[in-house]
Amino acid sequence: MRDPRRVAILISGRGSNMRALVEQARNYEVALVASNKPAAAGLDWARDRGLTTWSLDSKGSEKEAYDRTLSAALEAHDIGTIALAGFMRILSPWFVGQWSGRIVNIHPSLLPKYRGLDTHARALHAGDSLAGCSVHLVTEELDAGAVLGQAQVPILADDTAGSLEQRVLAAEHRLYPRILNEFVLR
Ligand code: GRF
């Protein structure tokens, strides 16, 4: 059994949640920042910070073959918990089975509402008065695993998808580290 406090953060882009997870780590160590996009901006920040990084372009790879390579890299770094943070790739059933119960994700909606993409536009379109974000366990079904914690963000009358996204993102940066600090001690 690997130490759950050895965390890998998986990103595909700017990595603002990754930064929050690094800066607010109390009970875990960020042992690896990994990306399926070698040009992800978040990787530069992680390298500058002296963190260990790994990247391999997933474009054109067969899904499970890629995931087996990724999994081997995580094992090589003795990872116990995987935190997805803007990782824009659906993991294969093989990978999810291999790391079952040890993968968490942050999603910008109050799950079970608005799984998938464009959550803020969908919340506005529905006329919701409350938006937010959820940290959940990753299972084979997209954005459907057990919710570990949520933060609510009121929707304002003049909100656009962009303005709402900014406020939800700020809430994500507080929620995700708090939940991960608890999760690794379970
Ligand atoms: C966040 O909104 C997160 O909820 C979603 O993807 C976005 C990633 O942003 N899963 P960042 O790369 O963490 O800045």
Side-chain angles (χ1 to χ4, degrees):
M1 175 71 184
R2 292 177 195 277
D3 184 346
R5 293 169 302 179
R6 284 186 63 80
V7 168
I9 306 176
L10 271 52
I11 65 170
S12 298
R14 69 188 161 187
S16 72
N17 276 288
M18 179 269 297
R19 289 167 69 147
L21 289 174
V22 169
E23 285 166 348
Q24 297 173 59
R26 284 197 322 275
N27 301 333
Y28 57 86
E29 178 196 348
V30 178
L32 187 69
V33 176
S35 180
N36 66 322
K37 300 273 177 218
L43 283 176
D44 292 332
W45 184 88
R47 276 189 217 105
D48 287 349
R49 182 99 188 189
L51 294 165
T52 305
T53 62
W54 177 95
S55 71
L56 178 66
D57 200 340
S58 57
K59 210 161 135 201
S61 299
E62 192 271 319
K63 185 178 271 300
E64 191 177 307
Y66 183 90
D67 284 359
R68 284 183 184 269
T69 307
L70 171 61
S71 187
L74 297 168
E75 280 175 16
H77 288 88
D78 272 323
I79 297 305
T81 300
I82 300 170
L84 308 183
F87 188 63
M88 300 304 285
R89 195 183 141 76
I90 296 173
L91 294 162
S92 61
W94 176 83
F95 187 97
V96 174
Q98 200 71 11
W99 293 89
S100 173
R102 294 184 291 161
I103 315 172
V104 296
N105 181 42
I106 179 98
H107 183 76
S109 78
L110 294 172
L111 290 172
K113 273 191 158 180
Y114 313 128
R115 294 172 182 166
L117 298 174
D118 298 325
T119 54
H120 307 301
R122 287 156 71 196
L124 289 176
H125 188 251
D128 293 356
S129 55
L130 216 49
C133 49
S134 309
V135 176
H136 65 93
L137 275 177
V138 172
T139 56
E140 272 190 39
E141 199 183 338
L142 184 68
D143 301 328
V147 171
L148 302 170
Q150 291 184 315
Q152 298 183 340
V153 175
I155 295 181
L156 308 177
D158 58 354
D159 258 331
T160 61
S163 63
L164 181 57
E165 181 187 359
Q166 289 305 312
R167 291 204 314 291
V168 172
L169 195 60
E172 292 177 33
H173 297 162
R174 293 187 295 271
L175 177 74
Y176 205 1
R178 181 164 68 74
I179 301 301
L180 190 61
N181 275 305
E182 289 168 9
F183 180 76
V184 297
L185 300 182
R186 294 204 325 189

